[in-house]
Amino acid sequence: MNIAVLKEGKLSERRVALTPDVVKSLTKAGFKCGIESDAGHASGFYDGAYEAAGGIIFPDRAALLKDSDVLLKVNAPTPEEALLMRDGSALISFLYAYTVPELVDICLSKNISAFAMDAVPRISRAQKMDALSSQANLGGYKAVLLGANALGKIFPLMMTAAGTITPARVLIFGAGVAGLQAVATAKRLGAVVEVTDVRPETKEQVESLGGRFLEVQAEGVKTEGGYAREVSAEYLQKQKELITKHIADADLVITTALVIGKKAPLLVTEEMVASMKPGSVIVDMAVESGGNCALSEFNQTVVRHGVTIIGESNLPAMVPVNASELYAKNISTLLLHLATKDGFKWEMDEEVTKGSLITHQGELVHQFTREILAKTV
């Protein structure tokens, strides 16, 4: 079975789908790994390391793709890349298929079987395949460091002969993987941390890390697979009222809230930003999905009402070595679950296969993606 790994072309992307160590493991398992030249360069993995691990370097991506059985990527391929793929081959990457209808159409027309890393079900036996969690973990860590770097004060309590410095106050929206890692990182740096989340079951996790959970007394949240699927307007209004009291005191605000299949909810209004102290910082981790802050700008750092607002869309790519190492383990574990060196198993009723397979044999087989795309037609 021939594996292809391309150099990522997305703006500011520095990750790579496979590392040399994982290429070595797959080669031992009987797979042939073709790597586009310089695919791992931005992550610190050079062509020579891939060759030493048993990989074959291809300077021409068209030549690499024409004989490949499966393409492994971090981000969804561009339409141009997908058109180079062999008819009937397979794709594994982050897809968010409901956001790329043109790519879905190409996969259907070329009978490409597309598996989405973002659709791998959140079950215990699929934890090693969970790339959303591995990358969000790193993103939450990096968000705190970016915020701390932009903030004009230190995080911890410090007692000196010249006086006592009070600890920084950090407010985090969302207690998913990214938010919880942000809590842990901010606490390690000495900050006072408060957290709000639409899922009341996250309270215990927040408090176990030393954070204070701000609980909204309202209903109207639908969750599925650990993610918020729908949040009512009434709930968001009550959350806004609660947060308004706390955001004015915050030195750093980190927002991580996402609703799968929809635009990110607006949680920090311009009025809230204006109420914050001059020199405060907001890191909007949801900026790629529309942003949780009304004033954040995609891949830009701006100052509004004296508040620095960081809209970095790809935080895991800012730690590309670790991000690539973890992602390579995630995607290779999924591949080894789905296939052997001789080809895919096509166990269509198996939970991981059924959950992550988007297109197959010219059909859109993923129900959730089908429902979302039907609403956009």
Side-chain angles (χ1 to χ4, degrees):
M1 190 171 179
N2 295 325
I3 297 171
V5 174
L6 294 185
K7 182 177 181 180
E8 299 292 326
K10 185 178 178 181
L11 182 67
S12 75
E13 184 58 80
R14 298 171 61 197
R15 292 172 291 179
V16 65
L18 291 183
T19 59
D21 283 347
V22 173
V23 167
K24 185 176 182 179
S25 298
L26 289 172
T27 300
K28 284 184 178 179
F31 294 86
K32 294 181 180 178
C33 298
I35 315 293
E36 184 179 11
S37 182
D38 290 336
H41 195 275
S43 302
F45 304 114
Y46 286 20
D47 288 352
Y50 285 106
E51 290 179 311
I56 304 169
I57 302 300
F58 285 77
D60 179 17
R61 60 172 45 183
L64 170 59
L65 290 173
K66 75 180 181 67
D67 292 323
S68 294
D69 299 302
V70 58
L71 169 61
L72 306 185
K73 285 188 91 263
V74 177
N75 300 293
T78 63
E80 293 76 18
E81 290 168 343
L83 287 169
L84 291 173
M85 293 177 65
R86 180 174 61 78
D87 287 11
S89 59
L91 162 69
I92 308 177
S93 73
F94 281 125
L95 279 180
Y96 302 100
Y98 47 84
T99 68
V100 285
E102 183 181 358
L103 175 61
V104 171
D105 288 341
I106 293 172
C107 289
L108 295 176
S109 66
K110 292 177 69 69
N111 288 323
I112 292 171
S113 297
F115 294 89
M117 294 298 291
D118 49 282
V120 171
R122 302 190 82 184
I123 56 179
S124 58
R125 63 190 177 86
Q127 286 182 341
K128 286 186 68 176
M129 311 170 198
D130 188 359
L132 282 176
S133 292
S134 74
Q135 302 304 294
N137 215 343
L138 295 172
Y141 166 83
K142 192 63 178 181
V144 174
L145 296 191
L146 284 180
N149 189 56
L151 191 63
K153 60 184 296 185
I154 64 172
F155 271 32
L157 170 73
M158 188 174 291
M159 302 178 72
T160 75
T164 300
I165 298 173
T166 57
R169 302 187 70 87
V170 177
L171 175 60
I172 297 170
F173 287 79
V177 175
L180 291 174
Q181 181 56 248
V183 173
T185 303
K187 286 296 295 182
R188 283 197 295 268
L189 291 173
V192 174
V193 182
E194 296 179 319
V195 184
T196 178
D197 193 286
V198 298
R199 299 160 298 173
E201 62 267 25
T202 61
K203 178 180 179 180
E204 185 177 344
Q205 294 170 298
V206 169
E207 292 176 344
S208 71
L209 293 170
R212 179 190 173 201
F213 190 76
L214 306 178
E215 192 166 1
V216 180
Q217 299 298 328
E219 297 182 355
V221 180
K222 294 181 180 179
T223 62
E224 183 179 324
Y227 296 102
R229 288 291 189 194
E230 190 174 334
V231 183
S232 70
E234 178 190 1
Y235 185 96
L236 289 175
Q237 179 59 34
K238 290 194 174 183
Q239 185 185 48
K240 177 182 175 182
E241 293 169 2
L242 174 66
I243 294 308
T244 299
K245 303 173 185 177
H246 295 267
I247 199 167
D249 295 327
D251 298 297
L252 170 62
V253 173
I254 297 174
T255 66
T256 73
L258 295 170
V259 178
I260 300 298
K262 296 186 179 181
K263 184 178 182 294
L266 179 61
L267 303 176
V268 182
T269 64
E270 182 171 1
E271 182 182 6
M272 289 179 180
V273 175
S275 75
M276 295 177 69
K277 295 174 287 188
S280 300
V281 178
I282 297 172
V283 180
D284 189 346
M285 291 185 65
V287 69
E288 191 168 28
S289 297
N292 297 141
C293 176
L295 301 180
S296 60
E297 296 184 17
F298 184 76
N299 280 341
Q300 299 292 324
T301 296
V302 298
V303 179
R304 300 287 184 266
H305 302 289
V307 177
T308 299
I309 304 171
I310 300 171
E312 174 57 53
S313 67
N314 194 352
L315 291 170
M318 301 183 78
V319 281
V321 175
N322 301 126
S324 297
E325 289 171 341
L326 294 180
Y327 185 80
K329 290 176 183 176
N330 296 144
I331 199 169
S332 62
T333 302
L334 177 59
L335 176 63
L336 291 170
H337 176 82
L338 299 171
T340 68
K341 64 182 179 61
D342 299 316
F344 282 87
K345 303 173 188 175
W346 301 122
E347 299 170 336
M348 304 303 289
D349 292 327
E350 188 274 323
E351 194 170 2
V352 174
T353 302
K354 187 175 182 179
S356 59
L357 183 60
I358 308 299
T359 62
H360 183 57
Q361 295 181 344
E363 293 185 22
L364 180 57
V365 297
H366 194 263
Q367 182 179 350
F368 179 70
T369 301
R370 193 164 55 237
E371 291 172 356
I372 295 295
L373 289 177
K375 292 177 183 179
T376 62
V377 174

